[in-house]
Every structure is written in structure tokens, then in C-alpha cells.
Amino acid sequence: MIVTSAVRHAAAGSAALLFVLPVPAAVASPAPTVSSLSSAVGEPTPPVRGHVDPARLDRSGVQVQPLAGAPRLPSASALSWVVADASTGEVLAARNAHRKLPPASTLKALFALTALPHHDASEQHTVADSELTGIGAGSSLVGIKEGYTYKVSDLWNGVFLSSGNDAVHVLAAMNGGWDSMARKMQEKARSLGANDTHVVSPDGYDAPGQVSSAYDLAVFGRAGLQDPAFVRYCSTRYADFPAGSWSYGIANTNRLLTGENGVDRYPGLIGIKNGYTSNAGNTLVSAAKRGDRTLVVSVMNPQEGGGYAVYEEARSLLDWGFEAAERVRPVGSLLPERPKAEADARAVAAGAETGAAPAGEAGTKDAPAKGTPSQGTPAQNAPARNAPASAPSAKEAPAQDPSAPGDPAQGAPAQAGRSGGDPGEAAAAAAPDASAGLPLGLIGAACAAALALWGWRRRSGAGDSGQE
């Protein structure tokens, strides 16, 4: 009896509270704070200044859309070149951007994007004789010897500074072998939206069918800038290379970085990669920073000016890009085009947020493709907004809408009304979460007490004007 009396008193007290304090229809999520929004959304992608028509880059010849006050493009004899903003991916100007040409050692930038993340810089590796077989005649070498032990960082210095094909062969062997590495590089290129590149020899050595483009090289350069290790290696001018009990110095072959052989250093140059073969001519992908802006320039096979013309043409294009950055409309983008399915899913999520379609219905088309059933919150099931595979930067990742992750309780009543199942299940789905943990008998007693109290107050004439 004592227990029953206590339960009844608790029920009566609960009923009084339920009567006095209004209960919301659904438990709302707490309002997000500024700090939580900033951590969830990240740094937004800078807005594109105008419509970008990717088809422009498919056209032959020079593509540029100058605005008032834009500087004149410099003369460049290269068969293909691209000037792009590294942060936004906007292509400021280009010539024959998608023309397929032999890339020479600039293909090593793609090799690094593919293999660099898989081994720690301090890891040591002893070179086997089999790892140095198959190196093409006339290849540039850093001087790796079988039986010697090298740190991975030494091998990467050999790749970036000396353009050593022997270092590429050893690192490829450490990552599944030569043919496997070529396939992985091909997959990496496609994942970045670089569709002109066909990889046959991972070191860039001339091989039948091996091609890339100025557009793809700029894509690789931009992706590399988002990896601190890639930037560290490609911007190193000099290093010591081990040779058993001693070491010797190696210098970066990118003259625009070192300022050697009569080529002046370019201020703010980050580096990236140069290349040369008799078939490809001189090729170069470079990046430079000036103030808050970083540009990527790729140049393939200048037709005039000798062996160092590739550096001078890259210099003039970088100068033009920094001066013209706010005075031209972009003629294309280095960002991969979003698949139609992803665009549809994003439209579904946007429609659900604005109420354009009932929650739980609009999301059913695309959500199953991800293996997640739509349960009234399509914004949660929609695919994440695009972010590059090689560790895209914060600026590259578009900001996500903080309103997208809705409260499941908001979608529950609508789904319960459509279920056509047991009415009791629908009522339970619509019930506030606050009472989910209370005993069923106590809930019933509280409701009965609340009704009795409401009736008593009505009969007693306490009809205050604020009551409904």
C-alpha cells in the first residue's frame, strides 16, 4: 500500500507538471554553437567568380577571357600550357589544355601522389638487385646500389631532386611492383579527373602510348600541394644522398627552383617537377606563391628558345597569372566534374531541407545506392560533397549545410502516418522521447490524473483567459 500510494503521488505530481508545462511535439536538437558549426563545416570553398564552361578547354588554341584592365598574355611557344589558381582550381588561361603529349619525368608527380602515402619517411629499405632491373637506357639516375640500405626519405629525394629512375624502380617494387604501380597510377589519375593520362612506365620514360596533358599535369601539381611531404620534397633544392659510409650532394634539376645554369630563381617558387626526353622535349609543372595566392603552371614542349625555354615560358606565365588573377574570367576548372548521381542526391537533400518534397520520400531514389535506407532524413543519407582522393585541402572541400543532419524525431511522425501498420506503433513513434524511459503504468496514471485535474479546474470556474 505504501508503494502504491507513493506511485500515485508521483503520478499526480507528474500530471501537474505535464499540465502546467507545455510539452513539445518532438524533442528538438540543441541549437549548434558557432564553434561546433565551424568544426563541422570547415573552411568554405571560395566562390567561383563566374560560370565555368569546361568545354572551352577542349578547344584548340589559346583560351582566355580578359576583363577590363587585364594584362596581355605573354608569347609562349609551348605546344600546350595551363595557368590555374591552386586554391580554387580555376583555370585562368590555357593553350591546347587537353592535347595528349609525352610527359617525360613530370609523370613522377603522379607517381608520388600514388606511392608517397604508403611508407613512412624514416622507414629503411635494403635494395635487391631485381629492383634495379629494367631501367631504360639513358635514364637519369641518383646512384642507388643493390645491397645498400636507404631511408624512404632518401629515395624520394632521389626521385624529386635527381629525377632518378632507379629510385622510382625501388619505390615501385616496395609498392607492389612495376605493372601494379602503373595500374595504381592510372586509377589515381582518373580519381583526380585527369582523363588524358595513360601510364605505361611509372618513371616517365618514353614508352609507346604513354601520354598526359598540360591540364592533367596541373591537376597533379595542385593535388601534390595539399600533401606536406610532397611539398617538402619537391621544394628541396639540395640534399645529401647516402652511399654506404659516406654521402654526396645532389641538386634539384629544376633550374627555376635552384637558379642554376643561367636561369634566375623564381621568387616564391614551390617547385614540383621538370622533365625531358628526346621524344617529349622539355616539360615542367611548377607552383609559386605570392601573397595569399598560389598558382600552378604546366608547360609542355616549347618549340623555340633552346633547352631552358621551358623555364622562361613558365616564368612569364606565372607573372601574368599573378597580375591577371582578378581580371579574367576562368576558362575551366581543375576540379573533377561531379557525377550526375551525386548532383541528384544533393538536389534531393536541398529539397528536403526547404520542404520541396516530403521527408523520407525524396531521398529514396539515391539513398539505396549507398546501401543506407531512407528513413525520413535524406539529408543524412545523401553522399558527402566532393573531396579529392589525395588528401584534398580544406578549401577544396565544399562546405556542408549545418542544417542537413536533422533530428530523427522530426521525421518520425511523417513516417508513422505513412506506415499503414499497427496504430499503436505509429503512436509510439510519434510520442516524445522524454517519456520513453517511464513505466507504462505510471504514464497512464499521470495522464488520467492530468485529465481529472483539468476537469476539476474547469468545473470550479477557474477559466483563466490564457487557457485554451
Side-chain angles (χ1 to χ4, degrees):
M1 292 299 292
I2 294 175
V3 174
T4 303
S5 176
V7 170
R8 287 177 179 174
H9 280 81
S14 300
L17 288 174
L18 290 171
F19 183 73
V20 174
L21 299 176
V23 179
V27 178
S29 298
T33 63
V34 174
S35 59
S36 65
L37 281 178
S38 61
S39 61
V41 174
E43 186 175 359
T45 298
V48 176
R49 291 191 295 272
H51 172 71
V52 176
D53 178 12
R56 287 189 66 94
L57 294 181
D58 292 327
R59 303 173 190 172
S60 61
V62 174
Q63 301 300 319
V64 63
Q65 298 187 94
L67 299 174
R72 186 173 182 175
L73 268 170
S75 175
S77 67
L79 296 178
S80 177
W81 54 261
V82 163
V83 182
D85 188 298
S87 297
T88 64
E90 293 175 350
V91 177
L92 306 183
R95 180 188 183 193
N96 301 329
H98 289 292
R99 180 172 178 176
K100 297 179 179 180
L101 296 166
S105 285
T106 51
L107 194 65
K108 289 181 172 75
L110 175 60
F111 173 74
L113 290 174
T114 307
L116 190 55
H118 298 295
H119 294 275
D120 187 79
S122 61
E123 179 183 339
Q124 295 190 340
H125 176 76
T126 301
V127 176
D129 180 66
S130 60
E131 296 172 349
L132 297 176
T133 59
I135 298 176
S139 289
S140 53
L141 305 172
V142 68
I144 292 176
K145 303 295 183 183
E146 63 272 12
Y148 283 31
T149 298
Y150 301 89
K151 291 190 299 184
V152 167
S153 60
D154 295 326
L155 298 175
W156 282 115
N157 280 334
V159 171
F160 277 99
L161 277 68
S162 297
S163 200
N165 288 3
D166 48 355
V168 173
H169 273 255
V170 173
L171 286 164
M174 296 171 61
N175 285 273
W178 198 247
D179 293 337
S180 175
M181 179 53 61
R183 289 192 298 270
K184 292 175 182 177
M185 290 172 64
Q186 191 72 63
E187 293 169 0
K188 183 66 173 180
R190 295 297 178 265
S191 72
L192 294 171
N195 298 316
D196 302 323
T197 299
H198 180 61
V199 180
V200 179
S201 183
D203 54 6
Y205 192 81
D206 283 337
Q210 178 153 280
V211 292
S212 189
S213 67
Y215 178 90
D216 285 11
L217 294 182
V219 168
F220 303 151
R222 179 177 184 267
L225 293 179
Q226 299 167 42
D227 183 347
F230 185 105
V231 172
R232 182 173 66 254
Y233 290 122
C234 79
S235 60
T236 298
R237 290 185 288 162
Y238 304 99
D240 289 329
F241 194 80
S245 59
W246 62 289
S247 63
Y248 53 90
I250 56 176
N252 201 309
T253 56
N254 183 349
R255 275 80 172 180
L256 209 58
L257 180 68
T258 61
E260 294 184 354
N261 301 103
V263 178
D264 292 335
R265 289 181 59 191
Y266 190 85
L269 194 82
I270 299 173
I272 304 188
K273 194 69 190 75
N274 59 310
Y276 171 80
T277 66
S278 57
N279 185 37
N282 286 280
T283 58
L284 176 68
V285 54
S286 287
K289 182 178 177 63
R290 184 179 296 178
D292 295 331
R293 189 177 303 280
T294 301
L295 297 181
V296 175
V297 166
S298 55
V299 179
M300 300 189 77
N301 201 352
Q303 300 297 290
E304 301 173 359
Y308 297 149
V310 69
Y311 301 112
E312 299 307 328
E313 294 192 6
R315 181 195 308 278
S316 62
L317 290 171
L318 283 168
D319 286 342
W320 175 87
F322 284 118
E323 187 179 355
E326 300 294 338
R327 302 172 186 172
V328 295
R329 293 190 186 94
V331 294
S333 174
L334 299 181
L335 304 181
E337 294 185 41
R338 294 187 181 94
K340 185 178 184 303
E342 180 181 339
D344 290 345
R346 293 175 59 203
V348 166
E353 292 166 9
T354 58
E361 292 179 353
T364 56
K365 178 180 178 182
D366 295 300
K370 292 289 182 181
T372 305
S374 177
Q375 295 294 332
T377 55
Q380 290 178 316
N381 296 330
R385 300 193 179 187
N386 187 35
S390 56
S393 68
K395 288 187 176 181
E396 184 178 4
Q400 296 182 1
D401 191 335
S403 66
D407 187 348
Q410 294 175 351
Q415 179 161 340
R418 291 193 301 272
S419 66
D422 189 298
E425 293 178 357
D433 291 343
S435 61
L438 296 177
L440 185 60
L442 183 56
I443 293 173
C447 292
L451 289 173
L453 180 59
W454 176 80
W456 174 80
R457 295 186 65 179
R458 184 175 182 182
R459 288 194 300 273
S460 64
D464 190 278
S465 60
Q467 289 185 322
E468 296 180 354

